[in-house]
């Protein structure tokens, strides 16, 4: 059932029928009730609409209903309807927080205009509430994870409950999909953020050095070890150790890492002393670690130790709704770094970005954004998708139109820095239409503020 935009309360059935017909013709969904208690069961603090109620009702007056509603959420607009023509009643209602007051008999156009203004105010109040919640979230230290596509919402819904729990996490995703950024986000938003985030790429360190890198060594432990060195694990004490490309770790070292995870102790090379460590492990892999363990190419006991919680990071081609916002974000960063102007994309350019398959994922998009800042729109021609036809062929006309519409709105919001008024003018659409389309495409103007 469609959520009503207007809840109307009046004990006169003829008035209820007339109001219902009027609002339905104006495409304002309405639910009618004969008394206040019945209506209040449909109203909550997150009600996204307006309440229109009669002043004189036998079981609960309009002012009593106003008081109950304001106790739930004082930003829900309540319009009082009366046939008394009593100015003192109007003053009392407004003093107690009514949005407005209208007398019977009323002009229908005046009522519709009043309701639309009240709805706009309610939508703005809810949007402001959502924005404040988002700002509290983004005000946390550390990197932001941008993207509001369903696949990224699923990722964040998995991660958020784990932030302050020291469970080990296994991140799985293609090269360039953002595993490092997600690991940093987890650390910086956890109770361990005051301590070190230590990252090591297991595939980039030579096999003869990685053990020393992880465990450290005492002076004289091997040729060239002229002084004591604390390893990555010990350096991450009370913090987070990020093991990227963990599938590349030598088998012999996997045994030693497993012992550290089980005993929470580490022993430097060349030492007989153990050091107590409290470390959260976030491991990342682009491989199927379960298959590798089944095939004997990765220790299964270590796999299960690391895989307390597994998070699959979607490739960029599966979260294309996030591309315009991510690209704009990377452009702003590059523009600040190189002291260049950031030129917003037009709708056509944004649509071409959406059609590309992005084999290099977010890293490829970030590199393109930097070239765009340095070289201008010409950089985009170097990235013309060679798979446009195949991508378009897998989309229905409706999907392509939705994609273009979203790209056009995102481009306009970027250009207007999130200003709803300026975006309305640029797109030539009404405020309500813009809000409806933004809600449809999961857009929030806060994403486009500089």
């Amino acid at each position: 059932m469609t959520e009503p935009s207007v809840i109307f309360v009046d004990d006169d059935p003829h008035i209820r029928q007339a109001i219902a017909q009027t609002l339905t013709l104006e495409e304002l969904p309405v639910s009618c009730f004969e008394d206040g208690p019945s209506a209040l069961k449909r109203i909550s603090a997150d009600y996204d609409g307006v309440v229109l109620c009669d002043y004189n009702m036998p079981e609960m007056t309009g002012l009593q209903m106003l008081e109950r509603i304001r106790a739930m959420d004082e930003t829900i607009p309540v319009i009082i309807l009366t046939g008394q023509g009593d100015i003192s009643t109007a003053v009392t209602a407004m003093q107690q927080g009514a949005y407005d007051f209208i007398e019977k008999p009323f002009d229908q156009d005046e009522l519709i205009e009043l309701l639309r203004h009240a709805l706009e105010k309610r939508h703005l109040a809810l949007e402001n509430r959502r924005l404040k919640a988002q700002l509290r979230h983004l005000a946390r230290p550390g990197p932001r994870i941008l993207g509001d596509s369903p696949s990224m919402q699923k990722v964040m819904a998995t991660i958020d409950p784990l932030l302050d729990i020291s469970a080990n996490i296994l991140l799985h995703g293609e090269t360039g999909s953002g595993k490092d950024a997600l690991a940093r986000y987890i650390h910086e938003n956890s109770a361990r953020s005051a301590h070190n985030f230590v990252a090591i790429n297991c595939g980039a360190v030579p096999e003869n050095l990685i053990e020393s890198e992880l465990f450290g060594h005492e002076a004289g432990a091997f040729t060239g070890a002229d002084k004591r060195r604390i390893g990555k694990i010990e350096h991450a004490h009370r913090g987070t150790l990020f093991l990227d490309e963990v599938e590349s770790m030598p088998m012999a070292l996997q045994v030693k890492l497993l012992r550290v995870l089980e005993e929470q102790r580490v022993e430097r090379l060349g030492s007989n002393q153990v050091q107590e460590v409290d470390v959260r492990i976030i491991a990342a892999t682009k491989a199927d670690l379960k298959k590798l363990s089944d095939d004997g190419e990765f220790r299964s006991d270590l796999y299960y130790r690391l895989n307390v919680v597994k998070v699959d990071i979607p490739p960029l081609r599966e979260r294309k709704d996030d591309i315009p916002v991510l690209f704009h974000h990377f452009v702003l960063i590059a523009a600040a770094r190189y002291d260049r102007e950031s030129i917003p994309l037009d709708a056509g350019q944004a649509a071409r970005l959406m059609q590309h398959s992005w084999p290099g994922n977010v890293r490829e998009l970030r590199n393109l954004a930097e070239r765009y800042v340095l070289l201008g729109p010409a950089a985009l021609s170097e990235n013309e998708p060679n798979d446009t036809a195949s991508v378009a062929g897998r989309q229905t006309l409706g999907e392509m139109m939705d994609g273009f519409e979203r790209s056009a709105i995102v481009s306009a919001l970027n250009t207007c820095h999130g200003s709803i008024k300026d975006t309305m003018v640029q797109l030539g659409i009404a405020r309500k239409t813009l809000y409806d389309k933004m809600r449809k495409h999961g857009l929030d103007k806060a994403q486009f503020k500089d």
Side-chain angles (χ1 to χ4, degrees), residues 93-209:
M94 299 299 284
Q95 286 177 340
Q96 293 187 12
Y99 177 78
D100 213 330
F101 181 94
I102 190 166
E103 293 183 69
K104 302 176 185 176
F106 51 83
D107 180 88
Q108 289 188 359
D109 291 338
E110 180 184 352
L111 175 62
I112 296 300
E113 183 179 4
L114 182 61
L115 288 172
R116 291 199 188 281
H117 281 303
L119 278 170
E120 182 178 1
K121 180 180 179 182
R122 178 57 176 162
H123 292 159
L124 288 173
L126 289 176
E127 179 189 7
N128 187 51
R129 183 178 300 166
R130 286 190 292 267
L131 176 59
K132 286 181 177 178
Q134 184 181 27
L135 288 175
R136 284 194 298 270
H137 179 72
L138 294 178
R140 297 172 177 176
R144 302 175 184 179
I145 301 299
L146 297 177
D148 198 36
S149 60
S151 56
M152 283 307 294
Q153 288 181 2
K154 182 179 178 181
V155 168
M156 300 313 294
T158 303
I159 285 174
D160 281 345
L162 305 173
L163 293 177
D164 289 327
I165 301 173
S166 293
N168 296 330
I169 297 176
L170 179 63
L171 304 179
H172 176 259
E174 296 178 4
T175 299
S177 58
K179 299 186 289 293
D180 177 84
L182 194 57
R184 291 180 184 276
Y185 172 86
I186 294 170
H187 171 77
E188 294 293 348
N189 290 279
S190 73
R192 296 176 174 267
S193 60
H195 303 282
N196 293 328
F197 175 86
V198 181
I200 182 169
N201 188 318
C202 301
V205 181
E207 187 171 342
N208 62 327
L209 295 179

Side-chain angles (χ1 to χ4, degrees), residues 55-68:
Y55 175 75
N56 282 310
M57 294 183 290
E59 192 167 347
M60 179 182 288
T61 69
L63 289 183
Q64 289 173 328
M65 191 167 178
L66 170 65
E67 182 180 4
R68 293 280 298 276

Side-chain angles (χ1 to χ4, degrees), residues 195-450:
H195 303 282
N196 293 328
F197 175 86
V198 181
I200 182 169
N201 188 318
C202 301
V205 181
E207 187 171 342
N208 62 327
L209 295 179
I210 190 168
E211 184 175 3
S212 174
E213 282 290 312
L214 279 173
F215 292 89
H217 60 257
E218 296 290 340
F222 51 84
T223 303
D226 54 348
K227 60 182 180 180
R228 172 187 290 177
R229 186 176 185 276
I230 291 176
K232 300 290 188 184
I233 297 174
E234 196 174 342
H235 189 52
H237 177 56
R238 300 178 68 187
T240 303
L241 177 66
F242 176 53
L243 300 174
D244 199 6
E245 296 189 28
V246 70
E247 73 277 7
S248 302
M249 182 177 290
M251 192 69 72
L253 194 59
Q254 293 178 30
V255 178
K256 294 187 176 183
L257 178 61
L258 178 63
R259 187 177 303 152
V260 171
L261 295 179
E262 290 175 341
E263 300 177 0
Q264 290 291 293
R265 297 189 300 175
V266 65
E267 186 176 322
R268 304 187 194 113
L269 296 181
S271 173
N272 293 321
Q273 300 295 320
V274 294
Q275 307 294 325
E276 301 288 336
V277 289
D278 171 16
V279 176
R280 180 190 208 169
I281 304 288
I282 301 177
T285 180
K286 61 180 180 292
D288 184 344
L289 216 56
K290 178 65 167 64
K291 185 177 185 304
L292 291 178
S293 69
D294 290 342
D295 294 343
E297 298 177 30
F298 193 88
R299 290 190 64 93
S300 59
D301 44 8
L302 178 59
Y303 166 72
Y304 288 112
R305 275 285 183 177
L306 296 175
N307 187 30
V308 176
V309 178
K310 183 182 179 185
V311 179
D312 289 303
I313 305 174
L316 193 55
R317 63 181 174 275
E318 294 179 8
R319 46 179 295 215
K320 289 194 172 183
D321 287 351
D322 295 333
I323 289 173
V325 173
L326 285 167
F327 187 82
H328 180 64
H329 173 70
F330 293 139
V331 164
L332 291 178
I333 292 174
R337 178 185 303 153
Y338 299 118
D339 194 23
R340 296 288 186 90
E341 181 183 1
S342 60
I343 305 172
L345 295 175
D346 61 34
Q349 292 168 332
R352 288 200 296 276
L353 292 182
M354 299 274 283
Q355 291 174 337
H356 187 50
S357 61
W358 300 104
N361 290 295
V362 177
R363 185 177 298 153
E364 180 185 357
L365 182 67
R366 183 184 61 208
N367 292 342
L368 178 62
E370 292 202 4
R371 291 200 302 275
Y372 177 74
V373 169
L374 294 172
L375 303 177
L380 299 181
S381 62
E382 302 173 6
N383 203 65
E384 284 293 333
N386 53 22
D387 54 345
T388 301
S390 64
V391 172
R394 293 195 297 270
Q395 292 181 307
T396 65
L397 177 61
E399 289 171 339
M400 287 188 283
M401 291 178 67
D402 281 346
F404 181 81
E405 179 181 77
R406 190 182 195 280
S407 296
I409 295 172
V410 167
S411 178
L413 285 165
N414 279 331
T415 302
C416 301
H417 307 293
S419 167
I420 296 298
K421 180 179 179 182
D422 293 343
T423 303
M424 289 164 47
V425 173
Q426 179 163 326
L427 296 175
I429 59 178
R431 181 184 292 269
K432 183 179 184 300
T433 302
L434 177 58
Y435 274 119
D436 288 344
K437 291 185 180 296
M438 288 174 64
R439 192 175 295 112
K440 169 187 173 184
H441 296 295
L443 300 174
D444 189 323
K445 70 177 185 180
Q447 297 170 291
F448 306 92
K449 297 289 187 181
D450 287 345

